[in-house]
Amino acid sequence: MTTFSAPKGTYDLTPPESETFLAVREAISAPLRRAGYGYIETPGFEHVELFSRGVGESTDIVTKEMYTLTTKGGTELALRPEGTASVLRAALQRNLHRGALPVKLWYSGSYYRYERPQAGRYRHFSQVGAEAMGTEDPALDAELVLLAVDAYRALGLREVRLLLNSLGDQECRPKYRSALQEFLRGLDLDEDTRRRIEINPLRVLDDKREAVQRQLADAPMMRDHLCEACKSYHEQVRDLLTAAGAEFEDDPRLVRGLDYYTRTTFEFVHDGLGSQSAVGGGGRYDGLSEMIGGPPLPSVGWALGVDRTVLALRAEGIAPEAPARAEVFAVPLGEEARRTLFGVVTELRRAGIAADFAYGGKGMKNAMKSANRSGARFAVIAGERDLEQRTVQLKDLESGGQTEVELDAVVETVRRRLG
Ligand code: ATP
Ligand code: MG
């Protein structure tokens, strides 16, 4: 019988590192909750169509990275590769967009992409995301960016950079797109990239290869083609961010190459992560609702990668505060003591004091070893003689000092001495 290991491109989260993941999820979601974002959870799989339309037929996600399956009933499903399409689908299905706008939602979960696994790039990964739907207002774009900035700040990250751009709208983007296509068609590019020029020319700007980048030096930039409305909208977003003390870099090459992404686009990068430097990204997607069969619903959102944020913390040498370990460890000597101290542990926990127990009928020596290893401040020790007198021994594992305490007073005494 062979043992199993986790599938390629996946990894298990185990203590103590798993605590860092919880801390990251908590740090990202706390600012959102304070800003009125409500929690949404959607299924781990959706109809394939939702993603081919909602993420885009021309994206790597849809063409190469999606895990698809056909159910026994013949339905084509895909494990969710990202969150926005599902959240928008759910909001429309539940008619949330008919209520007060904007609809502000946040989510946290697992996502699946069939990618080439490497450091910071997995086939199963974790994101926390936020979407604000139904309103076009530069303050909403700024709000979301600032909530992400505050999340990174709360985690203590100092080396996250914010890149910002505007992609224009249906007014100015088509003209720019044609100008860009014309420029790109004149370059020396491979077959695949040439095809991309016709379907998704903005994505070519995002090509990481040196040989491609070198030829793009004189490429027309969206920045120089923005219409007045987009220019003014972008200025307002920038002003709000500046007023809030958020530093950003204008990056005219930053794109999300789909037609329904509009105006504000941003990415958070961390330089300590090698080539998988994007820790999060987002932007405005005013056309997406209509792409998946909904009414016009101008929206903005982001998704931050939890795995890469954890790597960023590690790169900066930041260890989030350790979780509460056991404060009290119970060491029973004998069968009756087991029953009594098990009751004490339950009582301590109900009183909000972290407590653990020497399970497995260990002898005194091994049980004390477990107590010391647990990091607990106190050991509660009891044998037959103690129980006859309705007392226990309370041992301070830091100072080594030991005192006798009435059984009924253990919780109170521990509480007082923990301060
Ligand atoms: P990349 O350019 O690195 O492939 P992306 O543009 O595909 O990123 P998004 O779809 O915008 O990423 O997802 C938001 C965030 O989720 C990313 O910034 C990243 O932190 C994280 N992420 C995306 N794909 C993966 C993956 N395969 N493994 C781990 N984290 C990922
Ligand atoms: Mg990707």
Side-chain angles (χ1 to χ4, degrees):
M1 177 80 174
T2 55
T3 54
F4 293 103
S5 46
K8 186 174 170 190
T10 71
Y11 62 101
D12 304 301
L13 281 179
T14 54
E17 292 80 21
S18 49
E19 287 298 335
T20 311
F21 279 74
L22 290 180
V24 166
R25 290 196 184 111
E26 173 60 29
I28 299 175
S29 55
L32 292 168
R33 301 170 80 163
R34 285 196 292 272
Y37 288 72
Y39 178 66
I40 182 169
E41 201 163 309
T42 62
F45 50 81
E46 297 270 357
H47 291 284
V48 171
E49 272 287 299
L50 176 70
F51 299 121
S52 41
R53 289 210 242 154
V55 177
E57 296 278 11
S58 66
T59 59
D60 282 353
I61 291 183
V62 168
T63 54
K64 301 183 202 152
E65 300 173 0
M66 213 147 57
Y67 282 90
T68 56
L69 61 115
T70 308
T71 67
K72 291 184 177 66
T75 309
E76 304 256 15
L77 300 175
L79 299 186
R80 58 183 182 186
E82 60 104 51
T84 303
S86 308
V87 168
L88 185 51
R89 193 264 314 135
L92 293 173
Q93 188 176 341
R94 289 294 192 95
N95 279 320
L96 302 186
H97 61 296
R98 303 249 167 93
L101 299 178
V103 178
K104 301 210 278 189
L105 300 168
W106 75 275
Y107 60 86
S108 172
S110 294
Y111 295 86
Y112 307 87
R113 294 183 196 176
Y114 189 73
E115 302 204 62
R116 196 166 67 77
Q118 45 200 301
R121 188 175 296 286
Y122 312 104
R123 292 181 174 177
H124 167 265
F125 61 98
S126 189
Q127 290 183 338
V128 175
E131 317 288 351
M133 300 174 296
T135 304
E136 192 156 71
D137 182 338
L140 201 53
D141 305 42
E143 165 175 293
L144 272 164
V145 170
L146 291 171
L147 290 170
V149 167
D150 288 350
Y152 292 129
R153 195 173 290 172
L155 282 165
L157 287 168
R158 288 173 304 267
E159 292 165 35
V160 175
R161 290 186 294 129
L162 166 59
L163 310 179
L164 188 67
N165 193 19
S166 171
L167 293 180
D169 63 4
Q170 63 282 9
E171 179 66 31
C172 52
R173 232 250 299 295
K175 273 176 252 161
Y176 166 68
R177 192 175 184 271
S178 307
L180 179 63
Q181 280 177 318
E182 196 156 319
F183 171 86
L184 293 173
R185 285 186 195 121
L187 302 182
D188 176 25
L189 298 165
D190 60 278
E191 191 75 13
D192 258 7
T193 312
R194 296 204 147 275
R195 209 168 309 126
R196 189 170 286 169
I197 295 173
E198 305 312 318
I199 342 171
N200 200 344
L202 272 73
R203 266 285 167 202
V204 179
L205 295 179
D206 199 29
D207 200 310
K208 302 286 189 290
R209 289 170 299 179
E210 171 61 27
V212 178
Q213 279 304 325
R214 207 172 333 114
Q215 301 185 68
L216 294 176
D218 298 325
M221 288 292 140
M222 186 68 237
R223 175 166 68 183
D224 306 315
H225 289 72
L226 291 178
C227 61
E228 284 310 314
C230 285
K231 224 183 268 175
S232 144
Y233 193 96
H234 198 52
E235 271 316 305
Q236 292 180 62
V237 174
R238 296 172 84 259
D239 287 347
L240 289 165
L241 292 179
T242 304
E247 286 175 28
F248 56 86
E249 299 163 35
D250 292 306
D251 181 353
R253 276 161 203 262
L254 183 67
V255 297
R256 321 216 106 203
L258 297 170
D259 289 343
Y260 39 79
Y261 282 109
T262 47
R263 295 189 168 171
T264 315
T265 303
F266 51 89
E267 193 163 83
F268 294 95
V269 294
H270 192 281
D271 297 321
L273 298 185
S275 47
Q276 270 58 252
S277 61
V279 288
R284 190 155 266 290
Y285 51 93
D286 290 349
L288 180 55
S289 175
E290 287 150 282
M291 292 296 291
I292 64 167
L297 204 64
S299 306
V300 55
W302 50 242
L304 310 188
V306 176
D307 311 75
R308 287 187 199 171
T309 305
V310 170
L311 294 177
L313 286 168
R314 221 169 278 162
E316 289 197 33
I318 302 167
E321 213 167 291
R325 292 198 293 181
E327 292 167 303
V328 180
F329 199 95
V331 176
L333 307 170
E335 207 35 54
E336 201 191 328
R338 271 171 64 78
R339 266 195 305 276
T340 307
L341 287 197
F342 187 79
V344 169
V345 164
T346 303
E347 241 186 286
L348 283 164
R349 289 173 179 165
R350 286 179 177 157
I353 298 167
D356 211 342
F357 187 77
Y359 290 105
K362 293 184 179 117
M364 175 75 169
K365 201 167 147 216
N366 274 333
M368 285 310 293
K369 212 184 265 176
S370 302
N372 282 309
R373 203 177 291 151
S374 76
R377 170 75 191 282
F378 296 106
V380 174
I381 308 160
E384 259 167 56
R385 196 167 333 131
D386 301 299
L387 293 181
E388 272 166 27
Q389 297 165 19
R390 306 284 304 156
T391 59
V392 299
Q393 304 298 319
L394 186 65
K395 180 168 183 175
D396 187 326
L397 295 172
E398 273 170 24
S399 68
Q402 188 165 315
T403 47
E404 194 167 271
V405 177
E406 298 279 326
L407 188 55
D408 294 335
V410 174
V411 174
E412 243 347 280
T413 309
V414 166
R415 201 206 302 272
R416 187 163 20 95
R417 291 189 52 187
L418 282 171

